[in-house]
């Protein structure tokens, strides 16, 4: 009863008053008694929210009067200016009855800080004991007490740590905060993210803006230890399905996915604060972890337990290089050494592994400057030079691993295009344009790359061609469209595939379509290949047109200052930028005369299928016109299991056995297959392009 009464007073009573009458000391003693420690800790949590801040020193007029207590504010005139004392007593930083503030003398502020130091003294001993003797239980049986204790430390640290603690005490306090931050139950770790964000923002980021030296707040090695914990906490849990979740910490899969996605996002925000203040610290941590992981991968390439740590370290590296930009990351000794090791890494050992995707993302993060772009592009092309369909034993390959392999190869091709968009890289790559075109053409003619991978590489070639003259750009488009033009201009192909909707569906349909039922000449394998060829031809046209529009908008939006020497928003953004884009448009125009007729005819055929006559033509395949499960889930923002698709993707390392109601992902659908998913993907993809 006494503690309940004190808890009510704690919401608005100044911390100095509680310290004066021994309440804080008594609560510290009761923290060691399991019967009373939760309520005693709650009282300390309310008091830890009493915040004192020094406002800007401003002269007060003599004789200024103290405001009425009922307003919650008062002012005391002093010869030293205005000192503002804030009381904020709730778990989320705002008291149930609001917050009160009043101006106080420096002597009163000193008393307040002394009381805050006494509160820390009451907390530190019991906290150390709890962390050492019942660390795991704080996240399970003693979760309510553990959460209250963590929040008390967070509130106290945000308000008083920098102002009251000596270096040794700061070291101890930060170690306790890290202990909560790395607790297996991230519900217990989540409150600490607010502390880390404020601390790093107020120290590292501010020092960086003001050009100050290293902060004395952090002990030696602290930031590295914090980064190691962040990389560990970024590791996604391995779940078999949407319904899987750590049941000891969460009540449902929906709760787990949504909370972990938010927690992971907050950790990325914390890492960004460190990157802005100490980029090399982050680069060193990423390089150390990635070097260690890839060394283990080389020794045991099929070790599944390495996939999640690799994804976490790669994600942090990608975040760090994105925040700093190539101008800073390209000068990092740690990243230079890491790149050299990755370029000499035997990629063949991970070609059939999900770790290939993370290797490619590392290449994208490290290879965007003019000194590294050429060897990185060659490394990516080397990955694509491995035969796309013969190096994997399909009988022993799971759906998930096959999806990952295809997605990684597509990412490798897309990364070449992303690297070409980096400032300075396009000029270097333009010197190798002819050799690059020949290499891509050779890979395509030998069947080493898939149509989607080819289209991404072709788009990269268009980006690189922006720095070339009109004649070279015309040759580039002639090469890009030569195969598509030859097919689409063929009278025999137009007669057998593009004559009308019936011939169109006989050319690209599936066996269950009513229009091909009983037709002995219909060949599902031939139709699947035609469907794949036509789909990616339309995709190629769409990608080229879209890229030209993007380049034109970016060049047009370049300011005169950018054109005269400031950092450009895109490669080659100079006074001749608009001319380069205009040349690309001129080079494309001659091809529109054979592109538009075929594209418009395809669109007319697809729209006709939605009519009553068209639906009869589809017969049992009519459901191909309906939206697919994956697309419906992402449009509605929820899966059949009640989980947000984006939260599931961000909180899960992967799934080899998707939950019921979530049968396919887009990368799992093979266009050549004789089924509804292949036809649906073709119709919707071709129409949208």
């Amino acid at each position: 009863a006494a503690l309940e009464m004190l808890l009510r007073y704690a919401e608005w009573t100044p911390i100095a008053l509680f310290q004066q009458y021994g309440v804080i000391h008594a609560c510290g003693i009761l923290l060691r008694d399991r019967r009373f420690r939760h309520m005693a800790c709650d009282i300390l949590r309310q008091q830890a929210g009493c915040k004192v801040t020094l406002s800007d020193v401003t002269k007060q007029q003599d004789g200024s009067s103290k405001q009425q207590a009922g307003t919650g504010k008062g002012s005391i005139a002093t010869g030293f200016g205005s000192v503002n004392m804030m009381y904020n007593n709730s778990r989320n930083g705002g008291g149930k009855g609001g917050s009160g503030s009043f101006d106080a003398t420096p002597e009163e502020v000193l008393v307040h800080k002394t009381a805050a130091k006494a509160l820390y003294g009451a907390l530190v001993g019991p906290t150390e004991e709890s962390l050492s003797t019942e660390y795991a239980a704080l996240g399970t049986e003693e979760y309510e007490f553990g959460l209250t204790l963590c929040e008390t430390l967070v509130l106290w640290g945000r308000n008083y740590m920098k102002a009251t603690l000596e270096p040794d005490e700061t070291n101890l306090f930060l170690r306790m905060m890290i202990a909560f931050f790395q607790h297996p139950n991230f519900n217990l770790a989540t409150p600490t993210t607010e502390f880390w964000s404020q601390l790093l923002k107020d120290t590292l980021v501010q020092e960086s803006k003001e050009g100050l030296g290293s902060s004395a707040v952090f002990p030696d090695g602290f930031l590295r230890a914090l980064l190691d914990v962040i990389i560990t906490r970024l590791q996604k849990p391995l779940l078999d399905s949407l319904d899987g979740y750590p049941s000891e910490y969460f009540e449902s899969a929906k709760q787990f996915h949504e909370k972990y996605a938010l927690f992971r996002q907050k950790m990325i925000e914390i890492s960004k604060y460190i990157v802005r203040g100490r980029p090399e610290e982050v680069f060193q941590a990423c390089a150390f972890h990635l070097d260690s992981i890839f060394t283990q991968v080389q020794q045991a390439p099929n070790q599944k337990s390495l996939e999640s740590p690799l994804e976490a370290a790669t994600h942090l590296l990608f975040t760090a290089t994105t925040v700093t930009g190539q101008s800073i990351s390209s000068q990092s000794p740690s990243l230079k050494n890491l790149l050299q090791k990755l370029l000499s890494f035997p990629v063949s050992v991970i070609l059939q592994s999900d770790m290939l995707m993370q290797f490619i993302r590392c290449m994208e993060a490290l290879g965007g400057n003019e000194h590294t772009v050429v060897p990185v592009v060659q490394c990516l092309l080397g990955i694509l030079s491995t035969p796309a369909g013969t190096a994997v034993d399909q009988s022993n390959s799971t759906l998930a691993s096959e999806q990952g392999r295809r997605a990684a190869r597509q990412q490798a091709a897309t990364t070449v295009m992303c690297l070409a968009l980096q400032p300075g890289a396009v000029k270097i790559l333009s010197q190798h344009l002819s050799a690059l075109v020949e290499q891509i053409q050779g890979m395509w003619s030998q069947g080493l790359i898939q149509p989607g991978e080819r289209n991404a590489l072709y788009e990269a070639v268009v980006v690189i061609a922006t720095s070339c003259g009109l004649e070279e750009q015309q040759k580039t488009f002639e090469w890009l469209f030569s195969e598509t033009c030859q097919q689409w201009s063929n009278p025999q192909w137009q007669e057998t595939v593009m004559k009308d909707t019936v011939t169109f569906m006989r050319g690209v349909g599936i066996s269950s379509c009513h229009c091909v039922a009983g037709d002995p000449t219909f060949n599902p394998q031939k139709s699947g290949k035609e469907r794949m060829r036509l789909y990616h031809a339309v995709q190629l046209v769409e990608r080229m047109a879209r890229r030209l529009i993007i380049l034109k908008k970016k060049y047009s939006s370049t300011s005169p200052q950018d054109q005269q020497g400031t950092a450009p928003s895109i490669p080659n953004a100079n006074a001749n930028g608009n001319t380069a884009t205009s040349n690309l448009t001129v080079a494309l125009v001659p091809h529109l005369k054979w592109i538009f007729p075929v594209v418009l005819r395809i669109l007319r055929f697809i729209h006709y299928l939605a009519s009553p006559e068209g639906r009869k033509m589809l017969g049992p395949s009519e459901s191909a016109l309906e939206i697919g499960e994956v697309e419906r889930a992402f449009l509605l923002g929820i899966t059949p299991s009640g989980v947000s698709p984006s939260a599931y993707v961000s909180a899960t390392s992967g799934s080899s056995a998707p939950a019921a109601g979530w049968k396919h992902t887009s990368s799992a659908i093979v266009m050549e297959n004789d089924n509804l998913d292949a036809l649906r993907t073709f119709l919707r993809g071709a129409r949208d392009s």
Side-chain angles (χ1 to χ4, degrees), residues 61-78:
Q61 294 183 357
D62 291 337
S64 61
S65 62
K66 187 175 181 179
Q67 297 182 6
Q68 296 296 324
T71 64
K73 296 184 179 181
S75 62
I76 300 177
T78 71

Side-chain angles (χ1 to χ4, degrees), residues 143-423:
Y143 171 69
E144 289 297 326
F145 170 69
L147 182 61
T148 303
L149 182 60
C150 179
E151 290 175 341
T152 305
L153 290 173
V154 168
L155 283 172
W156 191 92
R158 293 179 64 183
N159 294 335
Y160 298 111
M161 188 199 77
K162 293 175 64 177
T164 61
L165 294 186
E166 299 297 329
D168 291 343
E169 296 171 321
T170 300
N171 190 8
L172 174 59
F173 182 80
L174 292 176
R175 284 193 285 111
M176 290 191 298
M177 294 302 298
I178 285 183
F180 278 105
F181 186 40
Q182 62 186 2
H183 196 280
N185 185 352
F186 64 78
N187 286 311
L188 196 59
T190 299
T192 66
T193 58
E194 300 298 328
F195 168 77
W196 298 122
S197 295
Q198 178 177 314
L199 177 64
L200 296 170
K201 182 178 180 181
D202 292 346
T203 53
L204 297 183
V205 177
Q206 190 64 29
E207 289 173 0
S208 178
K209 290 181 179 179
E210 297 176 359
L212 301 177
S214 300
S215 174
V217 174
F218 303 118
D220 292 340
F222 164 74
L223 287 179
R224 178 58 183 273
L226 180 61
L227 286 167
D228 289 341
V229 175
I230 289 175
I231 293 176
T232 302
R233 302 253 52 177
L234 281 173
Q235 296 178 19
K236 297 180 179 181
L238 294 170
L239 302 176
D240 292 332
S241 70
L242 284 170
D243 298 323
Y245 65 96
S247 57
E248 65 271 28
Y249 302 137
F250 299 94
E251 297 178 355
S252 65
K254 183 176 185 294
Q255 182 190 55
F256 163 71
H257 288 301
E258 292 178 349
K259 284 192 173 183
Y260 184 75
L262 181 61
F263 179 61
R264 185 177 167 95
Q265 180 182 353
K266 289 183 177 180
M267 287 190 292
I268 294 299
E269 292 176 358
I270 293 171
S271 67
K272 288 181 179 179
Y273 287 129
I274 305 178
V275 170
R276 294 188 181 103
R278 307 276 183 85
E280 188 59 28
E281 290 260 14
V282 182
F283 294 152
Q284 289 176 0
C286 293
F288 172 80
H289 282 269
L290 288 170
D291 185 20
S292 174
I293 293 171
F294 276 114
T295 300
Q296 298 177 61
V297 169
Q298 189 171 352
Q299 298 170 354
N302 296 321
Q303 192 172 345
K304 289 288 186 180
S305 60
L306 295 175
E307 293 178 6
S308 189
L310 178 58
E311 188 277 336
T314 302
H315 191 75
L316 182 59
L317 173 65
F318 202 86
T319 299
T321 54
T322 302
V323 171
T324 59
Q326 290 295 332
S327 59
I328 295 178
S329 61
S330 62
Q331 303 301 319
S332 169
S334 303
L335 297 189
K336 289 181 180 178
N337 294 334
L338 176 62
L339 178 60
Q340 292 304 316
K341 292 180 180 179
L342 293 184
L343 288 174
S344 60
F345 181 81
V347 186
S348 58
V349 302
I350 58 172
L351 285 178
Q352 313 306 329
S353 169
D354 292 338
M355 289 180 278
L356 179 61
M357 175 68 81
Q358 306 310 325
F359 179 87
I360 293 169
R361 294 194 71 210
C362 287
M363 291 288 102
E364 182 177 356
L366 300 173
N369 65 81
E370 57 186 11
H371 303 293
T372 60
V373 64
V374 173
V376 168
V377 168
Q378 284 301 318
C379 177
L380 295 172
L381 293 178
I383 293 174
L384 292 171
S385 296
T386 303
T390 60
V392 62
D393 183 2
Q394 297 291 344
S395 61
N396 297 323
S397 176
T398 65
L399 174 62
S401 62
E402 178 65 12
Q403 281 183 238
R405 188 180 66 85
R406 292 188 179 200
R409 289 180 58 89
Q410 185 64 46
Q411 183 63 37
T414 304
T415 299
V416 175
M417 187 262 298
C418 294
L419 293 176
L421 288 168
Q422 295 296 328

